[in-house]
Each structure stands twice: as C-alpha cells, then as structure tokens.
Amino acid sequence: MQRRYGFMQGPTLIVCVLLCLAVIGCEIEETDLPARGVISVSAVDTTTGDSIEGASIFINDQLQTLRTPAVISNKIEGQYTVSVRPGQGYVTVTQTVELVPPDTAFAVLQFNEPDTSVFNNQSVFVESDAENAIVIVDDQLSEYTTPAEFLLTPGEYFISCYAPGMKTVSPSGYALDAVAADSATLSFTLEEVETGNTVGTLAPEFELNSFTGTDFSGGPFSPAQYRGRVLLVNFWHSECAPCRAEFPGLEQVYQDHQDAGFRILAVNAGYNNDNIPEFQDVKDIGLTFPMLYNGDNWQHIIQELYSIMDFPTNFLVDEEGIIQYRVGAVEYEELSTMVEGLLSE
C-alpha cells in the first residue's frame, strides 16, 4: 500500500526551515491554547438505583456524539448546561455545572420512574417501503425497525431511517416537535443504489469505537447513524502533517454548522499503530467530533471499502447517504462552501 504523507522529510525539511529563519527572517510564534477539561455525565433511575445507559446528552443545547455514561472532553473553562434525554417515558432532566480545567465537572442527573402513558407522551408511527429499516432517533440507531410504533417524551427530535444498500429519500429525515397526547406518522422512501467510494455512490458502512480522552470505549459509531445529516468522513494518521494542519478548519466548520445538521467522523488509518498518546496529542488542539480507532480492521476499511492511497482523504456525504465530494486536504473556506451547499438543498 502506498503511503504518501504530502510533506518534506529529513535533510530537505531542515534546510528549508533554516532558510526560512536565516534568509527570509520569518518568525515562529507560539500560541497558547486555552486549558481544557472534561465533563462527566451520568444518569440514574432513583426508583431502582440503576444506571441509565445510552441516553442522549445535550450540552448548551447541542446534541453530543457520546451517550450516557460519558466523559465529554476538550471543554474550555466556563458554565455549561447539561441535559439528558433517555426517552422511554423519562422526562428530560437538566443540570448546570461549572468547569475549571484541569478538574473534571460532574453532572449526575437523576430520573424518577418513567411515565409511559399516551397522555404524557407522543405516539410516533414510522413506516418505510423497505422492510425492517432501522429507525434513527437523534443520531442513534434505535431498537425499532419499520413498521414501528413507540412513545417520545415532549421535546425536539430528529428522526431518520436506514437500510443497508439503500439511500434514504422523500425525505431523508424529519425534525419532530413531540407534544404530549399527540400522534405522528412518519413515512420514508428508500431506494437501492450502488455502494462505492466514488462520487455518486452510497458511502460504505463500517463500525468503530471512538477515543474518549482516556481510552477507545466511545461509541460504536457508523455512517448509518447519521443518515439524514450531511456527514464528512475524514481519514487521517498522526504522522501526516496535512492531516493535522486541516483539523482546526474541520473543527470550525463543525462548530459553524452542527446545529444545521453537519457531522464529522475522523477515521484513523490504523496501519501506523496510532494509540492513546497520538490520539490525545491530536485531540488536545480542541477537536470535539469523534476520532475513531481503526485498529486491526484497517485494511478492510482503508483499502477495500474506501480505497485510500493518500492522507488526508475526505468524503462529504449528503443526507441521502450519497458521496458528493471526494477530496484530499481541504481548507475551511472550501469545506464550508461545500457543506452549506448540501445543507441548503
């Protein structure tokens, strides 16, 4: 496998640096990054004492990629509003925490016994023309398959539908404002389409865990759970200078368009044995999107599914699951324009 890093190495690099300093007179400035800490989020059912796992987490009203229990890393000093929504008849609970890095802020949210009456929840019926399509609720593959009927506590949700080998159309997703004692029927149309790694094909599926800040137990994550969203699948490794150079721009586009439905999955190459120190070094620049650990599965994903030869390689996938752009290193302005175009369609 050819591994092109796209940057100078060895004596050539040293000579160029010396010329820059001695001849051109450029200066190297050190930038102090703000101290960052973590917010530990957990949920418990006070009637049973059991931990509630897999609940959606919102920090300052932004849906997080990790679910309870979770450690949300790379947060700067300040006050945060943490909300947890387990569904299943539990009413959303909110707590305010104060984060002072490097300390950890703990948000332990307590829930009473769930209320599953139709009078206090919304009944949702999801149907599709694909049998047993998986229902997606707030970027999470649920246990429901079409046709499915379930209850949602009042609140705003994003609901989509996924089936292997099919794109999701008409529409790709619904923004649902659930109201107590109300009902809704959501219908999805899915169409078979070729899976591949070129523009116009369905983005290949995979499932990987993410780096949590201390280990690789986050997730698992897959492109499937972001059906109905605009998704960037980024491939990187720690020794790739262009990969590291583009990360701040990716993060800024993510922050700019997250509320509108833009998501990022950064997939590590896997073959150069990047582990916790390398992942931590990259995350320390302030990245908040999932950084996925490829591990022993790297050949299947990198070579067979996505046919990656150069790093970074970026795939921008539309709301239907179709690859619209395959590019190398991408700058903030270029990526922002592409994302805005897909979000406005």
Side-chain angles (χ1 to χ4, degrees), residues 267-281:
V267 182
N268 185 260
Y271 60 71
N272 64 327
N273 297 318
D274 284 343
N275 216 301
I276 290 177
E278 291 80 14
F279 273 76
Q280 186 63 68
D281 184 50

Side-chain angles (χ1 to χ4, degrees), residues 13-24:
L13 177 60
I14 295 174
V15 170
C16 289
V17 171
L18 292 175
L19 284 173
C20 175
L21 294 173
V23 179
I24 303 176

